[in-house]
Amino acid sequence: MTRSDKNTSDTEIETLFAAARSAPPAVPDALMASILADAGQMQPAQPAQGGVFSWLRALGGGPGVGGLVFATCVGFWIGVAPPANLPDLAGQLLNLQSSTDIDDSDLTGFGWDIEEG
């Protein structure tokens, strides 16, 4: 197939597509009504708006709120009792620990930054 044959076939196909787009097939009204009725039955029921627990549904229900509670508890725990290699931010804010009390030798590359040579 030469280049001119390809261009001719492309224009013929485009002409056929344009003709098909200009006269789309009509869907019978009874069929469309049946499709919409079936689709309406498959949709989940809409919950009542408002109420005390509407915010719970907005956050993803029980699993979403459970995840938020867990993340909050872990964040609070790490903030109050951090692991040994992290500075105690809560202690610094409450003046229970000064920043000079922190042994940061683990955080500075095992003391390699103070070696000579």
Side-chain angles (χ1 to χ4, degrees):
M1 179 186 292
T2 64
R3 186 176 179 111
S4 62
D5 291 339
K6 185 176 187 283
N7 288 341
T8 304
S9 64
D10 286 345
T11 56
E12 290 173 1
I13 290 174
E14 286 300 322
T15 305
L16 291 174
F17 283 150
R21 282 190 294 264
S22 66
V27 179
D29 292 335
L31 177 62
M32 186 57 73
S34 174
I35 291 171
L36 291 176
D38 288 343
Q41 290 176 354
M42 298 303 288
Q43 295 294 321
Q46 294 293 328
Q49 297 295 325
V52 177
F53 294 106
S54 63
W55 60 271
L56 188 118
R57 284 189 300 273
L59 292 175
V65 173
L68 288 174
V69 169
F70 179 76
T72 302
C73 291
V74 169
F76 181 76
W77 185 264
I78 290 174
V80 171
N85 60 348
L86 291 178
D88 185 10
L89 184 61
Q92 290 177 8
L93 291 176
L94 298 173
N95 290 328
L96 300 176
Q97 176 185 11
S98 68
S99 62
T100 58
D101 294 340
I102 299 172
D103 180 25
D104 60 352
S105 61
D106 291 338
L107 301 176
T108 59
F110 303 106
W112 294 336
D113 61 336
I114 57 174
E115 289 183 7
E116 293 183 23

